[in-house]
């Protein structure tokens, strides 16, 4: 049975969030791929030589972590059984999921992260299976840090929360998939460096610590304490058809939390890959077992 970790949003992150809120323009570009690529870039910028060499051997010449970061989304239509692996939802009034949410035969993003880390770390696994595990792991670490992928069960992680973005109808989940903060396709390396600016190696190691379960709880708290709780209230009498506009003040308030999550995901992915390929990886046995047998 999974132990309940002692998780809190550390006050130190308030200072980091202020550091990351740079006076730079942002755009609502292609909203999922770019963020996954930034996470992969941060990981690549923190790899050991051993990990870098093994990743190059697995992926082949010219293929980077960033170039495969969105692969798991692209193959979903052909492999529908992978869809539940991208998220975990539980009631809005809970800081952690009930055991029956974790114990699912369909799998979830916590199980998937732990499972594919274990597959990748197993030297007895075939090359093609390890290559696929690497591509899944790069993506699921990102999804695990998108707070609405750990959103409310009642509204399917914000998919049923109607909002406006720059006057156009959308939903809360889509806004958090990338519209709060994005950049141009050629800016992923630039933002990978900017998000790490001013951090010491000791601070990076502290940020990168923890397990997939810890990271899930952390993302869930951000969803519950910020993404949902700061939604604009409807005017009296307009509750039924109200769609709050999120592209202004709300987005400005959420940007620091969004950027923090990109940074956390990138550093944690880098740490896992270093441990796996430097043969220092300790499997996440409880998380990997939580979903039982997934076909």
């Amino acid at each position: 049975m999974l132990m309940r970790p002692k998780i809190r949003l550390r006050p130190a992150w308030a200072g980091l969030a202020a550091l990351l809120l740079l006076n730079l323009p942002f755009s609502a570009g292609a909203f999922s791929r770019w963020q996954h690529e930034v996470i992969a870039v941060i990981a690549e910028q923190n790899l050991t030589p051993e990990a870098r060499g093994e990743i190059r051997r697995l992926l082949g010449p010219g293929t980077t972590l960033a170039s495969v970061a969105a692969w798991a989304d692209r193959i979903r239509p052909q492999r529908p059984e992978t869809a539940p692996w991208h998220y975990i939802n539980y009631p809005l009034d809970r800081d952690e999921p009930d055991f029956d949410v974790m114990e699912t035969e369909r799998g979830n993003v916590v199980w998937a992260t732990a499972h594919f880390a274990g597959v990748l770390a197993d030297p007895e696994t075939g090359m093609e299976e390890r290559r696929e595990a690497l591509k899944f792991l790069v993506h699921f670490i990102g999804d695990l840090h998108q707070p609405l992928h750990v959103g409310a069960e009642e509204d399917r992680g914000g998919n049923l929360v109607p909002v406006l973005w720059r006057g156009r109808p959308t939903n809360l989940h889509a806004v958090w998939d990338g519209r709060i903060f994005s950049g141009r396709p050629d800016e992923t390396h630039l933002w990978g460096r900017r998000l790490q600016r001013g951090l010491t190696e000791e601070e990076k190691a502290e940020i990168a610590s923890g397990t997939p379960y810890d990271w899930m709880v952390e993302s869930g708290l951000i969803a519950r304490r910020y993404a949902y709780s700061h939604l604009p209230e409807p005017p009296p009498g307009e509750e039924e058809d109200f769609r709050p506009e999120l592209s202004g003040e709300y987005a400005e308030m959420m940007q620091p939390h969004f950027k923090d999550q990109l940074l956390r995901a990138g550093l944690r992915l880098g740490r896992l890959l270093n441990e796996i390929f430097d043969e220092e990886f300790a499997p996440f046995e409880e998380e990997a077992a939580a979903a039982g047998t997934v076909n």
Side-chain angles (χ1 to χ4, degrees):
M1 182 175 177
L2 288 170
M3 302 297 292
R4 293 171 61 89
K6 296 180 180 179
I7 296 293
R8 62 189 179 91
L9 299 182
R10 294 185 292 263
W13 280 105
L16 178 58
L19 173 68
L20 296 180
L21 187 56
L22 305 176
N23 293 319
L24 294 164
F26 70 98
S27 63
F31 62 78
S32 183
R33 178 175 177 176
W34 189 86
Q35 287 74 24
H36 279 290
E37 289 181 355
V38 170
I39 290 166
V41 163
I42 292 172
E44 288 175 326
Q45 292 170 345
N46 288 276
L47 293 175
T48 64
E50 292 79 8
R52 195 178 304 277
E54 282 298 303
I55 290 168
R56 187 180 302 114
R57 186 176 71 88
L58 278 173
L59 295 181
T63 303
T64 65
L65 294 181
S67 69
V68 301
W71 172 83
D73 277 340
R74 293 197 297 270
I75 58 102
R76 283 176 69 172
Q78 293 75 42
R79 298 176 62 176
E81 76 280 3
T82 69
W85 303 352
H86 292 254
Y87 64 91
I88 180 169
N89 295 329
Y90 49 91
L92 185 63
D93 63 356
R94 292 190 60 87
D95 286 345
E96 298 178 41
D98 290 325
F99 188 70
D100 60 349
V101 174
M102 296 297 297
E103 284 281 317
T104 169
E105 293 187 357
R106 300 190 316 151
N108 55 51
V109 69
V110 180
W111 168 84
T113 300
H115 171 74
F116 287 111
V119 172
L120 184 59
D122 185 355
E124 301 300 317
T125 304
M127 175 75 82
E128 184 55 40
E129 192 174 352
R130 292 185 79 209
R131 180 181 299 115
E132 182 170 282
L134 174 59
K135 293 190 286 186
F136 273 130
L137 183 62
V138 172
H139 187 86
F140 292 144
I141 287 285
D143 282 351
L144 187 56
H145 288 77
Q146 203 278 59
L148 271 295
H149 279 245
V150 192
E153 182 178 73
E154 299 92 324
D155 57 37
R156 294 175 53 202
N159 279 288
L160 301 182
V161 179
V163 301
L164 297 175
W165 182 265
R166 297 182 179 174
R168 296 185 177 184
T170 183
N171 64 71
L172 183 62
H173 187 105
V175 167
W176 274 87
D177 261 341
R179 295 179 183 179
I180 285 176
F181 171 71
S182 189
R184 297 194 306 267
D186 61 352
E187 291 182 329
T188 53
H189 285 79
L190 174 67
W191 274 105
R193 291 190 298 272
R194 281 178 173 165
L195 292 175
Q196 299 175 77
R197 183 181 295 165
L199 294 176
T200 66
E201 292 304 312
E202 291 76 14
E203 289 169 333
K204 288 183 182 182
E206 171 65 18
I207 294 166
S209 63
T211 71
Y213 190 90
D214 299 337
W215 307 334
M216 171 201 67
V217 174
E218 184 179 60
S219 290
L221 289 176
I222 292 170
R224 286 151 179 79
R225 295 181 183 179
Y226 300 105
Y228 285 106
S229 66
H230 285 77
L231 287 170
E233 294 288 336
E238 298 182 20
E239 292 84 359
E240 185 174 346
D241 299 320
F242 181 64
R243 281 181 176 264
E245 172 59 63
L246 301 187
S247 62
E249 183 178 352
Y250 178 90
E252 291 177 4
M253 287 192 298
M254 296 303 114
Q255 270 197 42
H257 304 295
F258 194 100
K259 292 178 181 179
D260 283 354
Q261 288 300 91
L262 295 180
L263 174 64
R264 288 166 170 152
L267 293 177
R268 289 163 180 173
L269 175 60
R271 170 209 142 194
L272 283 189
L273 295 176
N274 287 336
E275 290 180 355
I276 287 169
F277 293 118
D278 293 347
E279 299 183 357
E280 298 175 352
F281 177 68
F284 303 116
E285 293 179 355
E286 290 184 335
E287 285 94 335
T293 302
V294 179
N295 296 320

